[in-house]
Amino acid sequence: MKIRPLYDRIVVKRIEQQRQTASGIVIPDAAAEKPEQGEVLAVGQGKRNADGSLREPELKVGDHVLFGKYAGQTVKVDGEELLVMREDDVFAVLAPRDKQLKKAA
């Protein structure tokens, strides 16, 4: 099944973070917090302005984003847990490390 968000909503898949501390202690799933990073899987067509024009979304499919702990609504699609949230709920877009290294050089 495919999911297509409406208006300024996006569909995000959480990116699982490391479940082991630096000293090697493994954190069980029950004690681990849900990650606040994810990959954008789908983007709506944009938000309507007061004059009726459409504002294009700033995010695109494949972006890695940071969002709030309680942002969005959790849905299950084909057994996979996804988040549907407004574009405004996203705090930042993470740049890939290779691009960050090229800018620093």
Side-chain angles (χ1 to χ4, degrees), residues 12-17 34-39 64-67 83 94:
V12 176
K13 179 181 177 183
R14 290 184 191 268
I15 297 174
E16 294 299 322
Q17 296 176 343
K34 290 187 176 184
E36 297 165 3
Q37 294 182 26
E39 180 181 356
H64 286 224
V65 295
L66 291 176
F67 49 86
L83 284 171
L94 300 171

Side-chain angles (χ1 to χ4, degrees), residues 21-70:
T21 64
S23 61
I25 299 172
V26 177
I27 302 171
D29 287 339
E33 292 185 13
K34 290 187 176 184
E36 297 165 3
Q37 294 182 26
E39 180 181 356
V40 177
L41 299 180
V43 179
Q45 68 268 27
K47 188 174 188 172
R48 291 272 175 204
N49 294 322
D51 64 357
S53 63
L54 193 65
R55 183 184 61 84
E56 294 289 323
E58 292 186 34
L59 298 173
K60 60 185 181 306
V61 174
D63 281 346
H64 286 224
V65 295
L66 291 176
F67 49 86
K69 186 179 288 193
Y70 302 107

